[in-house]
Structure formats: structure tokens, C-alpha cells
Amino acid sequence: MSHADAPPLQPAGPAKSGGDERLLHRSLARRLMGRPELGSVVGAAAVFLFFSIVAEPFLRAASLSTVLYASSTIGIMAVPVALLMIGGEFDLSAGVMVVSSALISSMVSYQMTANTWVGVGVSLLVTLAIGAFNGLLLTRTKLPSFIITLGTFFMLTGLNLGFTKLISGTVSTKTIADMEGFDSARTLFASHLTLGSVDIQVTILWWLALVAVATWILLRTRVGNWIFAVGGNADAARAVGVPVTKTKIGLYMGVAFAAWVSGQHLLFSYDAIQSGDGVGNEFLYIIAAAVGGCLMTGGFGSAIGAAVGAFIFGMASKGIVYAQWNPDWYKFFLGAMLLLATLLNAWVRKRAEEKA
Amino acid sequence: MGAVLAAALGASLAGCSSTGGLRAEQERAAKAAGGKAAVNTPRWTFAMVTHSGDGDTFWDIVQNGAQQAAVKDNIKFVYGHDKEAQRQSQLVQSYIDQKVDGLIVSLAKPNAMKDVVAKAEKAGIPVITVNSGAEESKAFGALSHIGQDETVAGEAVGEELNKRGRKKALCVLHEQGNVGHEQRCDGAKKTFKGDLQKLYVEGTNMPDVQSSIESKLQSDSALDAVVTLGAPFAATAVKAKEQAGSKAEIDTFDLNAQVATGLKDGSLGFAVDQQPYLQGYQAVDLLWLYKYNSDVLGGGKPVLTGPQVITKKDAAALEDYTKRGTR
């Protein structure tokens, strides 16, 4: 898989079609076909159709809101992970970082008997610092991100358990539900709105907002161009004056920010946190981004694609339940579903490139 | 080719084993479950959602119990599990969306399940909690709780260790972050007159479990008992003990076929069983009783399924049951 066949998209610049009428005429369709998320949209439609047929309760409004909630908990993290992948890097510590962020917030509030917002604020700072640590270490040592973040992954896993047991004496944190500021923080991170019979979790709004912001950054700002350039070819990017180091550190801090949002959601919806959770979730985020059309090699992808990838994941994982299949086969179906979606994705993109 | 195959088949049939194997298992299975409903109530759907990981022996036995009760009670039984709290609660939510007629939930991470259990109540779906969550069950609005009090089970282990004259024991926790595991070891510590230490191992990585126990036994020869918290880890502890050349007695929580054999041949001291089969069977049966007759068992107190201390003299009788996956 080389980047050459998938040039970074520069949507701000219209097709350089010169005076050729035919090219001008085709440019809209062509632009649509060249979008990285097109394949995943087709895949999502296929998965949706499949479960609509095999699982009767799947199409109910209440079920769809459950599916959307499941998608949003993956999707919030898939957005910055996709950006990071476009920038050519991985973050294996992302899953555990979510739990770290929740633990910090809970323990700071409880131990200092402070307003929970103090914990939330401290948690934001510390989590961003972990992200910056990842980015700094990566750019300073020039080691692969796989190694750096694998190290952070293990360290955070150990710190989560070590600190929680040291401070709380047990493996989960104390409840903070009776503390000042809990209710307002819960409104922001873990409330849900009821529209008729449908329950909309606030994480869905966070998710949509993050997708919108990330898409705006990617497509409408200079930073977006930097991200594509850094992921496409870091040396060439540096040569033309792109701040490669800053961009990469920024991308890791973006992951940290989303980890903070997800972590606060965990904390304020469950009010006590298990220190062992989160391990393995980093792969779900990476899968969502990859299914959504982000290249594993960097330089190509979109935030909307990652959102669609998370949605496919949400549909597949919950659709299997709605279909009342034997859970022994759950992982197999999940894997097959993801593989099919990715293949379809790749096929559509290839066709699109041929046409273009 | 065909002739060779036929000859091979014939030979293998002639020389087939009269003990164990698939055929013996099928015969046992045919005897065990009749497969016909004993009642003519409507075909309700009951869903069970646990915090089990993939391929867990213990929860397999719970499921066996639930399934046999479901057959008898004319119930459609569906099962889901996820070790991650958030996804477990999402699973419960998706069964509520499907408007199942009853829910069976384990509360290993009670805070995470609180809201979704309340939602089930609101949707008019009766909930029974199993295994873990004895303290929270009633407060969350569940009908009854069926399980073992982990602290009580731990205390039983401590007492049994005293009875056997043990002085220094090791408690092997195979899942970091599991509250029930901590309670078991703490309970044992409470009643045990000797010294009890905790050892954390990576339960999903058997070689790691073995080498961890091995190095612990090598480094401390005063250890005269090792207590594992799950049946599959008992056999590993026995191997570790042999490798380390230790004299420690291996004891365990929970039961499986290997443990029953170990108890019989003396490589294991005792096992504390919480009878997972009962947890599944009773949960389905009690939900059925509630739907049929508004019966509730336990009077707001948890219905205990253990601990039952099993030693060499019980092992022979239980061996068959462990093989068919109901003990």
C-alpha cells in the first residue's frame, strides 16, 4: 500500500481542470468518489440493511439510540485516532488513557474533598500532559510510535491499578456521587435527553461536535494541510516548512483530549471507576478509523470516515444481540463484518480512483 | 483410499474406548436433559447478561443451569456477556430495547449497572441479579439475588486452612480489578490464623500464572498452602508446586472436572464451590415463578448458593457431574 495511489485530498482547492469542459462537468462526482469515507458509507449501509432484515427489533427507535450510544463511545476516540493515523502515527495507550483520565478526576476530587470540577480540571491537565509526553518522546527519540505508546500503555495500566489500590485500598475508586459539582458535571458528560420515546445520550452530541471540529480542521485550516503532509511524507513536509514536531505533539494531545472526554463520561455515568478497565479498547478505535478509510500508512483519511467506522462497529456489535445469536460466535461475526466492510471500502475506493 | 478409510474406521470402532470420550459424553447428555417443557405457560424470553470474559468455564456452567431450567419452563433463553462494564450495560440496554420478559444480570461492577437496571424496572421487566452484587441488588430494585457471598466463602477457606494446620498461605488473584476476588482473599485473611499473602497473576496467560506461582514458592519455602480463586488455576498451581519442589497444599475456589480428579488423587486439598449451576438454574426458575405466580424467594435477602467445601470424600460422586458441565 503506497501513498502514491491515494493522494492527500485538498478540498479547499477545486479541481485544476483548466479550460477542459468535460473535466469541469465531472468534477463534483469525481470529488465525491475520491472521498475517503465513501467506501465506509457503502459498508455502513450494507451492515444496516443486513441487521434490519435479520434482527426485528433493530429498526426500533429505542434500539437505534442504543446503537448510536455504543457507536459514540467508540466514535469519540476514533476521531482523534483517525487524525493521528492521517498524521502517520498510532496510539496504543488511548484505551487505557481513558480510564486513567477518569481515575485521576475521581481520586483528586475525593482525596482533596474538592468540588468535582477541580478533579475534572486537574484530569484535563494531566491527560493532556500524557498526550504531550507521547508526542514529545516520539519526536525526540525518533522511535516508532508503536514502541513509544506501547510503553505508555503498560505504564498507564500499572499506574491505574497501583495508584488506585494505594489510595483507595481497593481496585475501584470511591463513589463521588454525593460530592459538590457532581450533578453539573454529570449534565455535561453523562446526561441524556429524551425526545419522545428516544433517549439521546450526550456522548452522541460530543461525538458529532468532535467530528465537525476535526473535519473543519482537516479541510479548512492550515493545520489540516500540515496533518496530511506530515503523514504523507514527513521529510518533504519539513523541507517545505511544515512544523512536523508541533503537529505530531498536537495530534497526540488531541487523542488525550478525547480520552479526557470519554473518561469523564465513564466517571460521571458510573461514579466509581474500575482500575482494570480500558485494556484492548485502543484497537477498537484504530479499527473504526481504518474501516472508515484512514490508511494504515498515513496521509489519507477523514474524520467523518472514522465516525462511520465507529457506527459500523456499533451496529455490528449490538445488531448481533438484537438478532439473538449465540454469543459464542459473536467475535467471529464481528470480525467477518469488519473485514467485509473494509474490503467493500477498499473496492469502492479502487473503483473511484479508476474512474477518476 | 475408501477401503483404507473403512478399515481404519472399523479398527477404531472395534478398539474403541469404554471409558470417557465423545460417546460416553453423549450418553450422559442424553440421560441428563429430557429437552421437553414441563409447563404450558407462554414462551417468554429471558435474557442473561454477565461480566464474563470469553470462554470462561464458570459461566459456562451457569449457562448450562439456566438453559436446562429454560427447557423445563418453556423459556427462550438468550445470553450476552462483556467483561467491560460499559459494554455490559449497553448489552442490558439492548435486551430492554427488545422488550424481553425477564432479565438476569451479574453486578460485578455495580455502579456501572445501576442506571440500566433501573431502566429495566421502568420498562416493567423483572430483574434477578446473580453471582455478584448481593449488597446492591435490593437497592437497585431487583427481585432477588442468587449467589455466594464472597467474603463468607473466603472465611470458609480460612477456617478450612486452620483445620488443616496451615501456617502460611498464598492467595492467587487471577484478575486485577475484580472486587469479588479481593473479597475472597480478604475473607480468608480474616479467619485464617496464619499469615496470608496475595499474589496477582495474569489470568489470561497460563504460563505467566505458573511461573509467577513457581517463583513465589521458590522464594518462600515457608509457604504451606496455595489458594487459587478459579478452578482452571488449581492445576497450574499444582504444576508450579512440582516445578518449585514445594510441599505446599494446593486448594481452590470453584470446581471443574480437573479439580474433582485432583481432589480424588490427592494433588489438591479442598475446593470451595459456589455451585454456579444453581445460579443459572434458580435465576431462570425464579423469574418463571414470578411471571407465573408472583413468587419471590429470599425475602429481600440474597439466596446463597455456597460456599460448599468439597474434599476427597465428595470428589468421586462429583466427578461425573463436573464432566457433564453441571458442577
Side-chain angles (χ1 to χ4, degrees), chain B residues 278-302:
Chain B
L278 270 183
Q279 294 180 3
Y281 188 94
Q282 288 298 346
V284 169
D285 221 23
L286 290 185
L287 271 179
W288 179 84
L289 280 166
Y290 179 77
K291 298 284 290 183
Y292 173 69
N293 207 26
S294 274
D295 283 328
V296 178
L297 201 65
K301 291 259 186 332

Side-chain angles (χ1 to χ4, degrees), chain A residues 60 62-63 66 69-70 73 161 165 171 265 270-272 274 277-278 281 284 318 321-322 324 327 331, chain B residues 54 76 78-79 84 86-87 89-91 93-95 97-99 109 111-112 115 119 176-177 182 200:
Chain A
R60 287 184 202 152
S63 312
T66 307
Y69 173 54
T73 53
L161 193 74
K165 277 215 79 171
V171 288
H265 169 67
Y270 302 143
D271 80 53
Q274 304 284 329
D277 277 2
N281 287 357
L284 304 187
K318 294 298 166 285
V321 181
Y322 289 118
Q324 301 197 338
K331 290 266 162 75
Chain B
D54 286 326
K76 179 171 184 197
V78 287
Y79 179 75
E84 196 100 343
Q86 187 173 38
R87 289 196 293 265
S89 77
Q90 285 175 2
L91 276 174
Q93 178 63 53
S94 47
Y95 285 119
D97 298 341
Q98 293 175 53
K99 303 191 168 73
K109 290 150 189 179
N111 290 299
D115 285 355
K119 273 187 197 161
Q176 291 194 333
E182 301 284 337
Y200 290 94

Side-chain angles (χ1 to χ4, degrees), chain A:
Chain A
M1 219 188 290
S2 85
H3 325 146
D5 59 357
L9 216 72
Q10 303 293 352
K16 291 187 190 100
S17 43
D20 194 326
E21 262 176 64
R22 286 168 304 160
L23 284 178
L24 262 180
H25 181 67
R26 276 172 56 192
S27 76
L28 179 72
R30 207 174 121 186
R31 261 157 59 185
L32 194 70
M33 290 300 274
R35 299 289 310 157
E37 60 271 2
L38 184 73
S40 62
V41 170
V42 175
V47 174
F48 184 85
L49 204 68
F50 177 70
F51 281 113
S52 303
I53 294 166
V54 300
E56 182 261 323
F58 187 75
L59 279 179
R60 287 184 202 152
S63 312
L64 285 180
S65 72
T66 307
V67 167
L68 271 179
Y69 173 54
S71 311
S72 71
T73 53
I74 305 279
I76 287 176
M77 287 303 291
V79 168
V81 166
L83 258 54
L84 186 67
M85 264 170 84
I86 297 170
E89 305 293 345
F90 279 102
D91 190 347
L92 295 179
S93 67
V96 185
M97 205 194 293
V98 171
V99 177
S100 302
S101 171
L103 289 171
I104 295 164
S105 173
S106 163
M107 284 192 282
V108 166
S109 304
Y110 188 86
Q111 294 302 323
M112 291 171 54
T113 328
N115 188 301
T116 47
W117 283 100
V118 176
V120 171
V122 172
S123 170
L124 176 61
L125 293 179
V126 178
T127 314
L128 284 177
I130 299 171
F133 172 82
N134 270 337
L136 262 175
L137 217 59
L138 179 96
T139 47
R140 281 286 161 83
T141 60
K142 307 257 191 295
L143 286 170
S145 58
F146 186 88
I147 299 295
I148 300 281
T149 59
L150 191 65
T152 328
F153 162 79
F154 279 120
M155 287 197 291
L156 287 180
T157 314
L159 286 174
N160 283 357
L161 193 74
F163 266 122
T164 314
K165 277 215 79 171
L166 192 69
I167 292 172
S168 320
T170 60
V171 288
S172 68
T173 61
K174 305 269 198 302
T175 171
I176 57 160
D178 52 355
M179 294 184 67
E180 230 174 280
F182 185 86
D183 289 329
S184 53
R186 177 170 235 182
T187 309
L188 182 62
F189 291 110
S191 59
H192 45 93
L193 325 158
T194 315
L195 297 174
S197 65
V198 187
D199 216 30
I200 303 289
Q201 297 273 351
V202 76
T203 48
I204 298 171
L205 303 182
W206 274 100
W207 181 32
L208 294 178
L210 281 174
V211 172
V213 170
T215 305
W216 176 75
I217 290 177
L218 274 181
L219 301 187
R220 289 276 176 272
T221 68
R222 207 151 55 120
V223 177
N225 287 339
W226 290 349
I227 296 173
F228 280 114
V230 163
N233 186 337
D235 291 330
R238 192 176 281 111
V240 296
V242 172
V244 174
T245 309
K246 268 191 202 161
T247 308
K248 290 204 167 172
I249 294 176
L251 285 173
Y252 275 104
M253 288 176 76
V255 175
F257 176 78
W260 173 74
V261 174
S262 310
Q264 304 314 302
H265 169 67
L266 270 186
L267 175 62
F268 289 105
S269 54
Y270 302 143
D271 80 53
I273 294 295
Q274 304 284 329
S275 53
D277 277 2
V279 175
N281 287 357
E282 58 278 355
F283 291 111
L284 304 187
Y285 312 145
I286 293 171
I287 289 168
V291 167
C294 295
L295 280 190
M296 302 296 270
T297 43
F300 188 80
S302 76
I304 295 172
V308 178
F311 186 50
I312 291 180
F313 199 91
M315 282 194 292
S317 66
K318 294 298 166 285
I320 287 163
V321 181
Y322 289 118
Q324 301 197 338
W325 286 340
N326 182 340
D328 294 349
W329 299 92
Y330 171 89
K331 290 266 162 75
F332 174 81
F333 282 119
L334 206 57
M337 199 73 67
L338 293 172
L339 206 56
L340 279 175
T342 320
L343 281 174
L344 192 64
N345 182 358
W347 180 75
V348 169
R349 194 170 61 217
K350 208 172 154 215
R351 297 256 328 208
E353 276 158 12
E354 274 166 11
K355 274 206 181 139

Side-chain angles (χ1 to χ4, degrees), chain B:
Chain B
M1 184 66 195
V4 176
L5 250 175
L9 263 173
S12 71
L13 275 176
C16 87
S17 163
S18 60
T19 58
L22 179 67
R23 208 187 313 163
E25 194 185 310
Q26 283 166 341
E27 277 163 19
R28 267 197 304 271
K31 260 186 259 169
K36 261 179 89 179
V39 294
N40 57 4
T41 44
R43 191 160 174 81
W44 292 310
T45 303
F46 292 169
M48 179 186 250
V49 183
T50 72
H51 65 277
S52 159
D54 286 326
D56 187 301
T57 327
F58 179 90
W59 287 103
D60 198 42
I61 302 173
V62 176
Q63 264 192 84
N64 280 343
Q67 256 147 7
Q68 278 184 12
V71 167
K72 187 201 67 179
D73 293 342
N74 193 28
I75 297 296
K76 179 171 184 197
F77 176 75
V78 287
Y79 179 75
H81 65 92
D82 205 305
K83 61 178 166 49
E84 196 100 343
Q86 187 173 38
R87 289 196 293 265
Q88 195 197 346
S89 77
Q90 285 175 2
L91 276 174
V92 177
Q93 178 63 53
S94 47
Y95 285 119
I96 296 173
D97 298 341
Q98 293 175 53
K99 303 191 168 73
V100 294
D101 301 291
L103 266 169
I104 301 157
V105 184
S106 72
L107 303 179
K109 290 150 189 179
N111 290 299
M113 306 301 291
K114 190 177 178 179
D115 285 355
V116 84
V117 170
K119 273 187 197 161
E121 302 305 320
K122 219 176 122 195
I125 301 171
V127 179
I128 284 187
T129 58
V130 290
N131 187 250
S132 27
E135 285 145 43
E136 294 82 4
S137 176
K138 199 182 174 193
F140 288 7
L143 289 181
S144 332
H145 177 82
I146 302 156
Q148 165 181 259
D149 186 310
E150 301 292 13
T151 311
V152 172
E155 287 166 7
V157 168
E159 279 155 18
E160 186 69 24
L161 288 171
N162 289 337
K163 212 191 278 176
R164 289 162 178 265
R166 301 291 145 181
K167 296 281 175 284
K168 193 168 191 189
L170 189 67
C171 194
V172 185
L173 298 95
H174 60 266
E175 209 179 285
Q176 291 194 333
N178 185 320
V179 181
H181 287 184
E182 301 284 337
Q183 288 169 341
R184 285 178 172 187
C185 288
D186 291 342
K189 198 171 190 141
K190 208 163 106 191
T191 51
F192 183 43
K193 293 203 184 80
D195 176 29
L196 185 123
Q197 295 182 356
K198 286 183 187 173
L199 176 70
Y200 290 94
V201 295
E202 194 71 47
T204 48
N205 182 351
M206 268 306 178
D208 173 73
V209 176
Q210 184 178 338
S211 55
S212 298
I213 300 174
E214 211 175 294
S215 49
K216 188 77 192 174
L217 286 173
Q218 281 162 343
S219 63
D220 190 349
S221 55
L223 284 167
D224 57 7
V226 176
V227 181
T228 59
L229 298 191
F233 304 99
T236 310
V238 170
K239 271 189 220 134
K241 164 196 165 176
E242 281 160 6
Q243 290 285 324
S246 160
K247 291 267 179 296
E249 174 185 273
I250 312 293
D251 306 307
T252 187
F253 282 82
D254 300 345
L255 193 66
N256 67 7
Q258 248 181 328
V259 169
T261 316
L263 288 170
K264 213 167 97 177
D265 68 24
S267 60
L268 296 177
F270 66 92
V272 180
D273 191 21
Q274 60 171 310
Q275 309 188 78
Y277 184 84
L278 270 183
Q279 294 180 3
Y281 188 94
Q282 288 298 346
V284 169
D285 221 23
L286 290 185
L287 271 179
W288 179 84
L289 280 166
Y290 179 77
K291 298 284 290 183
Y292 173 69
N293 207 26
S294 274
D295 283 328
V296 178
L297 201 65
K301 291 259 186 332
V303 179
L304 297 187
T305 60
Q308 189 191 26
V309 176
I310 296 163
T311 55
K312 192 170 184 165
K313 63 177 168 49
D314 317 298
L318 293 184
E319 222 182 357
D320 276 351
Y321 306 149
T322 57
K323 274 185 194 147
R324 70 177 187 202
T326 60
R327 276 304 295 254

